[in-house]
Amino acid sequence: MISQDMMNPCGGVNMGRVVESFDPNERLLERILSKENVARAWKRVKANHGAPGIDGITIEQFPDHTRELWASIRQSLLSGTYQPLPVKRVEIPKPTGGTRSLGIPTVLDRLIQQAIAQVLSPIFDPTFSESSFGFRPGRSAHHAVYKAREYIREGYRIAVDMDLSKFLDTSSHYTPSHERLSKRLS
C-alpha cells in the first residue's frame, strides 16, 4: 500500500490518497464486513448526521436497533441474499427555483455502502483519470475549479463537460466511438 499526499485547495490539512494493489485471491466481502472496517464505516455515517431513510430509523436509534440483528444481516450479505430497502425520495428546493430530487437510503444501507466504498475505492480509484473529480475521495468540485483555472493560465480556452451516462443514453450504439467506449468499460 502506498500513500500519496494531495494538496487541499480549501486550506487546512493535506489529504492522503491510498494507492493499493489488488490481490485477486483476496476475499473482499469478508474484508468489507470485518469488524474494523464496519466500525470505521459507522464513524463516517454517524459523522454525516443524515436523515432517516424509508424505515424511519435515525442515526441515534440505529445502534440499539441493529446490534441484535447484525449477525443475520452480515450472513445475508455473505450469502448474497441481502436486499436493501427502497430509497426515500424527497424534493428539496433549488436556490434558482424548482426542486431537486434527493434519495435518502436507510442508515443500514448507508453503512453497508460506506463499508464497501472503503475497501473498493483504494483498489479502483488509482485507475481513474487524473482529470476526473466527481465522487472521488480527496477530490471535489473545488479541485475541478482550481484545475480549470490552471488550464486557463496555461492558455487553454475551450472546456468540455461530459456526463458519461447521458452520452451512453443518447449516442448511437452503432458508431465506432460508442463501440470503443463500450469495450473499454466492459
Side-chain angles (χ1 to χ4, degrees):
M1 185 170 17
I2 302 166
S3 175
Q4 295 178 338
D5 288 329
M6 297 170 60
M7 285 191 350
N8 183 348
C10 303
V13 179
N14 281 350
M15 299 169 287
R17 183 169 132 199
V18 175
V19 179
E20 194 171 302
S21 58
F22 174 65
D23 176 2
N25 298 318
E26 186 175 14
R27 301 178 90 119
L28 291 177
L29 194 50
E30 284 84 358
R31 186 168 157 199
I32 288 166
L33 296 173
S34 72
K35 284 185 179 184
E36 298 80 15
N37 189 53
V38 172
R40 279 189 316 129
W42 171 242
K43 284 182 182 179
R44 297 281 306 271
V45 170
K46 186 178 175 183
N48 284 337
H49 304 291
I54 200 165
D55 62 358
I57 297 171
T58 66
I59 294 284
E60 293 77 22
Q61 296 167 329
F62 180 79
D64 291 334
H65 175 269
T66 310
R67 192 171 289 115
E68 291 181 21
L69 304 172
W70 181 248
S72 64
I73 294 167
R74 186 179 191 283
Q75 185 54 46
S76 69
L77 287 160
L78 288 168
S79 68
T81 60
Y82 178 79
Q83 292 290 315
L85 287 176
V87 173
K88 181 178 179 180
R89 291 278 168 213
V90 295
E91 297 290 323
I92 57 173
K94 289 181 174 180
T96 57
T99 61
R100 178 172 68 92
S101 182
L102 179 67
I104 304 173
T106 64
V107 176
L108 174 61
D109 290 334
R110 292 197 303 261
L111 173 69
I112 293 166
Q113 291 168 8
Q114 181 63 40
I116 292 168
Q118 288 173 177
V119 171
L120 295 185
S121 290
I123 294 168
F124 292 104
D125 189 68
T127 67
F128 295 161
S129 167
E130 285 300 315
S131 300
S132 173
F133 293 92
F135 304 102
R136 300 209 28 220
R139 293 176 180 233
S140 68
H142 294 291
H143 293 98
V145 169
Y146 287 108
K147 190 65 176 175
R149 286 181 181 160
E150 183 181 313
Y151 286 140
I152 290 168
R153 282 192 298 276
E154 292 174 6
Y156 292 95
R157 295 293 179 253
I158 297 173
V160 177
D161 180 20
M162 292 177 44
D163 183 335
L164 190 58
S165 65
K166 298 280 190 285
F167 170 78
L168 294 175
D169 290 344
T170 59
S171 71
S172 168
H173 293 356
Y174 304 105
T175 63
S177 61
H178 189 281
E179 287 179 27
R180 280 193 305 272
L181 181 59
S182 295
K183 284 180 186 174
R184 296 237 13 213
L185 293 175
S186 58

